[in-house]
Amino acid sequence: MLDQSTICAISTSPGVGAIAVIRLSGSDAIAICDKVYESPKTGKLLADQAANTLHFGKIVSNDETIDEVVIALFRAPHSFTGENIVEISCHGSVYIQQQILNVLVENGARLALPGEFTQRAFLNGKMDLSQAEAVADVIASSNAAAQKLALNQMRGGFSKEISALRDQLLHFTAMVELELDFGEEDVEFADRSALRILTEEIEELLRKLKDSFQLGNAIKNGIPVAIIGETNVGKSTLLNALLNEDRAIVSEIHGTTRDVIEDVVNIHGTAFRFFDTAGIRETEDQIENLGIERSYSKLEQATVVLLVVDTHNSFPLVESRIQKIRERIAPHQTLIIVANKIDSGLRDTIQQIEVMELTDNEKAVFIAAKQKENLQELIDYMSHSINLEEAEQQDVIVTNARHYEILKNAHEAILRVLNGLDMQITGDFLAQDIRECLHYLAEITGEVGTEEVLGHIFKNFCIGK
Ligand SMILES: Nc1nc2c(c(=O)[nH]1)N(C=O)[C@@H](CNc1ccc(C(=O)N[C@@H](CCC(=O)O)C(=O)O)cc1)CN2
Ligand SMILES: Nc1nc2c(ncn2[C@@H]2O[C@H](COP(=O)(O)OP(=O)(O)OP(=O)(O)O)[C@@H](O)[C@H]2O)c(=O)[nH]1
């Protein structure tokens, strides 16, 4: 099943640079490179050189020198992919890079698919799947917190956690199976209270990992912020003010914003992912209704919900809207009531919002979006919605949506075990749910899985990685 071909790709970013690196990986990497490489000084083949050495020479095609290069040599299994690797550092002209790639292909290499080097590293056992996935996250990391998380995961932080979990689960099955051996004699070898303690530990670990995704996702992709509110209250104006550009359409016609607009901005080093959503109101317009549906679904995904209200409106109207949204806010979400248009709003409405009773996860701020007044206070509240210090303390934080989905399944399976213990079901049924849980964990590390999953993961990598 393992593809034996030798692959090549430009591994530095596309375009002109001072130097570019072309990478070759596969059993024939060294032999293929030798066909186009000449060392004027030593005359030696790369095949006769030691591993982990650098060589100056030139790449030649039809007696024409394409470029003077430096070559790095790695020998299987001691390389990134676990295969022979040759890295050619050439001058960074796009033409030269392309020419070198061409001669390599002419001499038996084939162009690598996106992520194929990393995929090979995985298939050759250099790293597990969660580590391979983290390689992409390291490359994409754009802030210190995201970089730290991704690097930790690439180094196997998450894999260690998963393997600890698996050890616990195996211990559990061993206990249950031992009991099954004694089944006839009706002994309860695996005493139920010990089993229960173990299951609860596993459940807690899984829950901890699963719950860390909200934080992990916020760090990796920005804190998700939904901007909601009736039409014409100033949502788009607020978004534009926060983004500092005219990203969303602002108009006086109600229902201008029909779709969800997404934008990531870095405000004082914290990334926020904004969804400006269609105004929520009863409407006959079908397209607008679709947008409103989507607003509600986005609300669930948000860590911070900005409910924009128009202080031109009477307080009872504003209050009833707040009430409706409150019902949809989960305990882990922060609801910020953004009282807008304070430049010309009703004094009575403003005062009544000021004295409203708020719960722990609610805040109220008073702004004029159009005049960009008091935005800082709003930004501060949004920043405080995630706890970066908590992230620093936690060993492992799940940042990958695929892992999160799997962990949810694994957690459900373990809850079934707990339930099974309550119902005093037999050991063989308990073992079945445990095995399911084990299976899920193996999906994270890639010990089980389909080609389809692999294909999906690596196709989102860049070429040359
Ligand atoms: N030039 C170059 N720079 C690079 C990479 C690369 O492939 N080439 N990397 C690619 O992502 C990253 C570094 N990652 C690497 C990971 C493992 C090995 C490697 O050769 N591993 C061997 C030997 C380990 C050792 O000597 O300790 C091994 O695992 O057996 C190389 C690079 C970033 N910088
Ligand atoms: N006086 C005043 N007017 C504002 C303020 N913020 C927004 N507006 C005005 O309110 C109107 C509606 O603003 P939008 O930002 O389009 O409102 P929206 O909530 O996105 O509206 P929909 O797209 O219909 O949902 C515009 O005419 C804005 O100029 C403010 O702080 N003060």
Side-chain angles (χ1 to χ4, degrees), residues 190 202 286 366 409 425:
I202 299 168
Q286 287 210 345
F366 299 83
N409 290 336
I425 64 166

Side-chain angles (χ1 to χ4, degrees), residues 230-238 249-257 276-279 312 340-344 367-371:
E230 311 254 338
T231 57
N232 239 24
V233 292
K235 298 180 296 297
S236 302
T237 309
L238 173 60
I249 312 153
V250 183
S251 76
E252 278 176 62
I253 307 159
H254 284 235
T256 312
T257 309
D276 176 29
T277 58
H312 289 170
N340 190 29
K341 310 191 189 179
I342 51 164
D343 55 299
S344 52
I367 66 159
K370 200 172 173 182
Q371 288 78 7

Side-chain angles (χ1 to χ4, degrees), residues 9-14 23 80 112-119 135-140 457-465:
I10 298 165
S11 285
T12 36
S13 69
R23 191 151 61 159
F80 174 68
L113 300 169
E116 201 171 5
F117 290 93
T118 310
Q119 182 166 15
V135 172
D137 295 339
V138 171
I139 292 172
I457 289 170
F458 290 106
K459 84 166 195 287
N460 293 318
F461 273 62
C462 33
I463 288 187
K465 188 61 239 178

Side-chain angles (χ1 to χ4, degrees), residues 37-42 54-58 68-71 91:
Y37 166 81
E38 276 176 21
S39 165
K41 220 169 186 174
T42 67
L54 290 178
H55 306 279
F56 173 75
K58 48 189 191 174
E68 290 192 341
V69 300
V70 169
I71 285 181
H91 292 99

